[in-house]
Amino acid sequence: MKILVQKFGGTSVASLERIERCAKRVIDALKKGYKPVVVSSAMAGETDSLIELAKRVTGRPPEREMDMLLATGEQKAIALFAMTLNKLGYPAVSLCGWQVPIITDDVHTKARIRKVGTGKLLSLIEEGYIPVVAGFQGVTEGGEITTLGRGGSDTTAVALAAALGADCEINTDVPGVFTADPRVVPSARKISRISYEEMLELASLGAKVMQIRSVEFAAKFGVRIHVRSTFSEDEGTWIVPEEEVMEKVVVRGITMDTNETRFTIVRVPDKPGIAAEIFKALGDAHIVVDMIVQNVSHDGFTDMSFTVNKSEADKAHEIVAKIAKKVGAKEVVRDDRVAKISIVGIGMRSAYGVAGRMFEILAKNGINIKAISTSEIKISCLIDEKYAELAVRALHEEFIEEMEEFETINGNG
Ligand code: ADP
Ligand code: ASP
Ligand code: MG
């Protein structure tokens, strides 16, 4: 019995007509001999409007109640999906996260999956039903409903595939994972195979096509993921272990993330212990700090900058303002209009000159770099938000399109 987990994203289930198209994809899989397990997101826009509704009640809604509210989006979609399959003559049963059960920790609004029960799913399949599972939601050991963070249905799908020993199909509104967001770079290419490691970097640097945690999960349990379009039969992108990726390139993809805020603490006394004090306070408040830059010091003072996710910027601002005052810094400057542009590729481990080329391209386009961070397989630059799309296109041209030409000329393409 070969089980296939088929996940459908919000745009794919945005209307009853679209749900019917998705249902037909499930029936096709069944006819090919698979036992499908469906995972559905909420209909497009539903989660956003639920969040909006909550914000109209209060600026800071209790996170437990947020989960209670957001889980309804997926519950509605799975009921409609199962009804559609039944109408088409294929018995289906919808299940919320707690009914599977998908057990999570108790961190409301960004819970992590701990365990997935397979008994109920397997017996439904055995009895000839197609299970239609709600993405994005789970339940704590204590019976509280949780959600897995934005884009969390991807993680539900991969977790189910891992637990069931199945392959995982992510059906979405683009034909696969591209060398850059195809909505920003029209010449972006579909990648046929990508390693977990590269996909993980792309996802964490802004390519929202897969939720980061879903890729972490897949890498840990060796789940093979096929990302493809709901609206075409074409082969999409396979996310697989590194050994299975034949084509090794220096730069696999370019990403853009406009979800960060930069803070600069101006004229901080340059002495041991100050950085520790600032970043410890942020850490204690569970705020993840991304890029950090400390300028050269002048007459015993220095400027210190760092970035955090926009959703945590208000909280970070309060903390940093307090410490800045305490240590006698001049002021705290906040900049919400920044973008982080990154290039990612396993080939960067052994290539040289890549950073220089990246900075040169940005300079040629008159784009100033506000901060830089690197890892073995990525380089990120923080720039003014208004140049983000220009930067991505220029870097794509340099690192993806030109390289392709180079490889073709050399007979490797
Ligand atoms: P779904 O609702 O199916 O989960 P998402 O909106 O979460 O879909 O993710 C798909 C979107 O991700 C695409 O519409 C595309 O704009 C965006 N995206 C960003 N970077 C990339 C990339 N490198 N390749 C493919 N899509 C990308
Ligand atoms: N509905 C949730 C969201 O919009 C989860 C998902 O679509 O993956 O983030
Ligand atoms: Mg998504």
Side-chain angles (χ1 to χ4, degrees), residues 23-169:
K24 287 184 177 148
R25 290 295 280 260
V26 177
I27 295 165
D28 284 347
L30 200 76
K31 287 183 179 157
K32 282 186 192 140
Y34 287 108
K35 300 285 182 192
V37 171
V38 176
V39 172
S40 180
S41 288
M43 296 166 89
E46 182 90 22
T47 309
D48 287 338
S49 44
L50 290 170
I51 293 173
E52 200 43 54
L53 212 52
K55 289 222 167 113
R56 276 168 48 199
V57 179
T58 161
R60 278 204 184 176
E63 290 178 332
R64 177 191 183 275
E65 302 313 325
M66 239 8 232
D67 281 350
M68 208 63 167
L69 179 69
L70 296 188
T72 64
E74 269 68 13
Q75 179 166 348
K76 174 175 160 190
I78 53 168
L80 294 170
F81 206 122
M83 283 177 200
T84 307
L85 281 167
N86 280 302
K87 178 190 81 175
L88 296 172
Y90 293 84
V93 172
S94 64
L95 297 170
C96 284
W98 63 269
Q99 290 173 301
V100 174
I102 296 171
I103 308 284
T104 71
D105 63 17
D106 55 9
V107 184
H108 283 291
T109 76
K110 45 184 174 204
R112 280 179 182 269
I113 296 177
R114 287 216 174 124
K115 260 193 317 227
V116 174
T118 52
K120 184 154 190 167
L121 290 173
L122 291 172
S123 50
L124 280 172
I125 295 170
E126 203 67 34
E127 290 162 30
Y129 290 99
I130 302 171
V132 182
V133 179
F136 179 56
Q137 53 175 264
V139 65
T140 65
E141 296 276 8
E144 297 287 338
I145 289 174
T146 51
T147 62
L148 311 177
R150 296 309 303 266
S153 299
D154 297 329
T155 304
T156 305
V158 177
L160 288 183
L164 294 164
D167 276 351
C168 182
E169 195 180 82

Side-chain angles (χ1 to χ4, degrees), residues 7-13 41-42 44 150-154 170-184 188-191 199 202 206-211 227-228 230 237 252-256:
K7 180 251 172 179
F8 296 91
T11 322
S12 307
V13 295
S41 288
R150 296 309 303 266
S153 299
D154 297 329
I170 300 289
N171 295 280
T172 183
D173 57 2
V174 281
V177 180
F178 279 65
T179 48
D181 186 340
R183 298 186 200 288
V184 174
R189 287 194 293 134
K190 185 168 77 189
I191 301 168
M199 191 62 231
L202 289 179
K208 74 162 185 167
V209 60
M210 292 292 295
Q211 198 201 31
V227 183
R228 59 190 305 199
T230 302
T237 301
R252 178 77 65 195
I254 323 270
T255 59
M256 156 178 133

Side-chain angles (χ1 to χ4, degrees), residues 266-314:
V266 183
R267 273 183 78 77
V268 192
D270 191 12
K271 55 182 193 208
I274 301 267
E277 189 165 353
I278 296 169
F279 294 108
K280 178 152 188 316
L282 292 167
D284 289 347
H286 302 288
I287 295 173
V288 179
V289 175
D290 184 20
M291 302 170 116
I292 302 176
V293 177
Q294 180 173 334
N295 288 353
V296 178
S297 98
H298 290 290
D299 25 292
F301 291 93
T302 184
D303 291 351
M304 203 179 273
S305 303
F306 63 90
T307 63
V308 300
N309 195 283
K310 264 194 187 132
S311 62
E312 304 195 301
D314 288 342

